[in-house]
Amino acid sequence: MNQIGLQDELERMHTASFGWALLCCNHRRDEAEEVLQITYLKVLEGRAMFGGESSLRTWLFGVIRRTAAEQRRRRWMRLQIFDRWQAGLPVPPHAPDPEHLASASENSRNLLQALAVLSARQRQVLHLVFYQDLTVEEAAQVLSLNLGTARTHFERGKRQLRKMLAQSHSQSEVQR
Amino acid sequence: MTANDQDLRDRFAALRRQEEPQAPGFTSRPASSRKPVRPRSPGTLLAAAAFLLAIAAAGLWLRTASHRPQPEPGKPVASIADWKPPTDFLLDTPGRQLLATVPAIGALQNGSIAPIPAPTPHRKNPQVRKSVSP
């Protein structure tokens, strides 16, 4: 695929890529945008090469996931070594961005809060299947997992998500 | 995936509809700023490694040269023959004087052992008296 064709494909998948980058960055918009820019640069400069073993979308999502992990590690190191170490504060747990949460509707907010309780792998598999309309096989490719492992994360994640959503639903009923 | 998953699918779809308009516009770098990526040849890498090694060696040499003690002007430089190892005192074991001389019983003078007296000259053809058994 030539440079122009690659750029067109990236543009076509841009919205979906942003959604996936948001999930990989715990719904922090700034981080997601940065990760997406770095990913595009990697792809367009040839530092990440598409080998054709999977679909372009699956491959691109894999690159975004790895880039987000790299950025997260860098940020963590910075926090751990300098700020947190000096202040003696604990590393913040996974939680969706409060700003993003505030702008979401009640249903979406419940979903985001329930997703935050799941493990990262479960959250990623569910997002890829339900949000990005990928199959479990494709999700396994994006996450570099065995198909069996991805299926296990998918089933357990669904069960856990339903449980959390039911809990939040009953809580909101009580409040009314 | 089962038909029962439709509830989850709907929830995620609602979230997607909400997040999609928030996506930033797709902007790629202008073509003028894009440089073609050339793979680095092993020769270039070797040259770079050799250059870095040379810089490191030069730095190390300069560092050791600056730390080397320089003789003060007008002060005589000590000869290597005058040098005594700092561990020389370990060789002075207790009782070394006793071992250096042969002790003579009853010849203790001023707390130290007197030197052995000079040996008396031997008699020529000494007569050895042999005992004769009966």
Side-chain angles (χ1 to χ4, degrees):
Chain A
M1 193 179 293
N2 63 3
Q3 190 83 359
I4 304 297
L6 199 59
Q7 195 170 321
D8 289 346
E9 283 297 316
L10 288 180
E11 191 164 3
R12 195 176 58 77
M13 292 186 288
H14 174 65
T15 315
S17 301
F18 180 69
W20 173 236
L22 263 181
L23 185 99
C24 292
C25 298
N26 299 337
H27 286 92
R28 291 170 205 280
R29 191 189 161 89
D30 293 346
E31 290 176 21
E33 283 184 24
E34 191 185 350
V35 163
L36 212 53
Q37 278 301 313
I38 294 170
T39 306
Y40 288 163
L41 283 177
K42 274 185 186 176
V43 173
L44 292 172
E45 288 180 347
R47 280 183 283 142
M49 304 279 279
F50 176 54
E53 292 94 3
S54 58
S55 70
L56 183 68
R57 191 186 196 196
T58 310
W59 171 77
L60 180 65
F61 279 16
V63 179
I64 292 172
R65 181 181 67 83
R66 280 190 291 277
T67 308
E70 283 165 18
Q71 292 297 106
R72 198 164 48 242
R73 268 197 297 275
R74 276 186 198 157
R75 211 169 296 117
W76 184 85
M77 285 289 280
R78 236 177 5 235
L79 280 174
Q80 200 70 11
I81 292 171
F82 299 110
D83 306 338
R84 298 279 166 191
W85 180 69
Q86 283 180 348
L89 296 171
V91 177
H94 170 84
D97 186 14
E99 204 176 308
H100 186 78
L101 214 56
S103 67
S105 67
E106 192 182 344
N107 270 343
S108 298
R109 203 179 307 138
N110 287 344
L111 179 62
L112 287 171
Q113 281 170 341
L115 279 171
V117 179
L118 306 187
S119 74
R121 281 281 185 252
Q122 290 173 352
R123 201 165 42 238
Q124 288 170 339
V125 173
L126 291 180
H127 175 97
L128 289 170
V129 173
F130 291 131
Y131 188 106
Q132 302 287 353
D133 289 327
L134 297 185
T135 62
V136 181
E137 288 84 353
E138 286 170 327
Q141 282 179 353
V142 170
L143 300 172
S144 305
L145 293 175
N146 291 330
L147 181 56
T149 312
R151 279 203 179 117
T152 308
H153 285 308
F154 180 61
E155 293 301 331
R156 286 185 186 163
K158 274 196 306 186
R159 212 178 307 140
Q160 183 76 2
L161 185 64
R162 283 209 174 90
K163 195 173 148 191
M164 297 310 299
L165 286 172
Q167 273 180 11
S168 65
H169 180 71
S170 60
Q171 276 174 4
S172 61
E173 285 295 315
V174 167
Q175 281 172 0
R176 279 174 197 169
Chain B
M1 207 181 328
T2 59
N4 295 335
D5 295 340
Q6 194 55 42
D7 56 332
L8 293 179
R9 191 171 283 280
D10 291 343
R11 279 178 181 272
F12 274 94
L15 180 65
R16 187 176 57 214
R17 277 194 299 275
Q18 207 172 320
E19 283 181 350
E20 269 175 358
Q22 296 172 11
F26 179 81
T27 49
S28 65
R29 292 183 310 151
S32 57
S33 68
R34 214 176 291 143
K35 291 176 189 170
V37 179
R38 283 180 300 174
R40 291 188 181 91
S41 66
T44 316
L45 289 174
L46 267 177
F51 179 69
L52 285 175
L53 204 66
I55 287 178
L60 201 67
W61 182 78
L62 282 173
R63 192 181 157 81
T64 50
S66 65
H67 280 81
R68 201 172 292 156
Q70 298 293 326
E72 289 178 26
K75 193 178 176 183
V77 180
S79 165
I80 189 71
D82 298 335
W83 181 78
K84 283 193 173 180
T87 55
D88 226 13
F89 73 95
L90 291 171
L91 297 173
D92 290 336
T93 51
R96 196 178 175 205
Q97 288 174 338
L98 286 173
L99 297 171
T101 56
V102 179
I105 296 169
L108 201 64
Q109 289 175 354
N110 297 332
S112 64
I113 296 162
I116 303 169
T120 52
H122 291 283
R123 284 180 295 175
K124 282 184 179 177
N125 301 324
Q127 294 293 320
V128 179
R129 196 177 281 177
K130 290 180 182 173
S131 62
V132 180
S133 58

